[in-house]
Amino acid sequence: SSLLFLLQELTSALMHVKLHLFVQIFTLVFFPTAIWLFLQLLSITPINEWLLKGLQTVGCMPPPVSSAVILTKAVGGNEAAAIFNSAFGSFLVSNAVFMASVLIVLFLTLGSSSSVPFTSIFSQLFMTVVVPLIIGQIVRRYIKDWLERKKPPFGTISSCVLLMIIYTTFCDTFANPNIDLDKFSLIIIVFIIFSVQMSFMFLTFLFSTRNNSSFTPADTVAIIFCSTHKSLTLGIPMLKIVFAGYEHLSLISVPLLIYHPAQILLGSLLVPTIKSWMVSRQK
């Protein structure tokens, strides 16, 4: 019965086209464009330019599946809408990986005359991300009954793999003897990331609660988290392929490594406040 209820909720969420358009346009158009304009101002400052490029790549990333859905559920928001938009942004990798890669290449080469090996980048992304997903879906059809009987702890395995990705990437980043990371730039980037998250969460809140908007308070909660969260699990493989051979890959990865834990920390801290607002509005 719970599965049937979830399917009904997802079907209902699928029909909420306005919400999905809002999230996807904000994530894939407004977010990276706003970051690019902001970085034009920061380019005249002494902040490390490779950290700024890394900040631009963060803006181009698709939303994650886990954190946005978990926080929406913790608040009591529209969980089905959060699942749908996270899935659309992450599981439909033909949309997520290729769109994010195009955005990264577009914004980082804007105004530059450098050529980009699109064919090589997309073929590697396809083999690294898309092919394993397709194989997994095919295998799942044949072992579905076994999975339902045994119920392997995929949630725990997923969390462990994510922690391993974060750990190994941190190790690769700070073990690089050529890394030129000054404390001033790092502190400023941390401050900027928290400021960007707060500002964009506030913007999505304002846009989705206007008098002429048709969003419910539960919809607003899903919008806030899905529009502002970025995927680390898809992001790190993408960066390693798009910037393969770059000596500054470690620095470019730093903003994403900061953004991911920051979004979870900030979202967790705001859960009680957003929940109380939603409950008061529903009454």
Side-chain angles (χ1 to χ4, degrees), residues 38 43 51 66 77 105 115 125 139 151 154 166 179 195 213 235 242 244 278:
F38 181 50
S43 63
L51 287 180
S66 54
V105 172
S115 59
L125 284 170
V139 171
K151 294 182 179 178
F154 285 131
I166 296 173
I179 190 169
S195 301
S213 75
V242 174
M278 189 188 74

Side-chain angles (χ1 to χ4, degrees), residues 25-60:
I25 290 172
F26 191 96
T27 303
L28 297 174
V29 180
F30 179 83
F31 202 127
T33 304
I35 292 292
W36 183 80
L37 292 172
F38 181 50
L39 292 183
Q40 302 312 298
L41 298 175
L42 292 180
S43 63
I44 60 174
T45 66
I47 301 174
N48 188 294
E49 66 169 312
W50 296 103
L51 287 180
L52 295 181
K53 289 182 186 293
L55 198 57
Q56 182 65 71
T57 67
V58 170
C60 299

Side-chain angles (χ1 to χ4, degrees), residues 136-180:
Q137 292 302 309
I138 294 172
V139 171
R140 185 178 180 276
R141 292 184 61 184
Y142 295 100
I143 61 171
K144 185 178 179 181
D145 294 336
W146 179 83
L147 289 173
E148 290 178 352
R149 286 197 314 271
K150 297 295 183 179
K151 294 182 179 178
F154 285 131
T156 303
I157 294 171
S158 174
S159 299
C160 291
V161 170
L162 179 58
L163 283 173
M164 185 59 67
I165 290 172
I166 296 173
Y167 174 73
T168 55
T169 308
F170 262 110
C171 291
D172 288 343
T173 299
F174 295 103
N176 186 348
N178 299 319
I179 190 169
D180 183 22

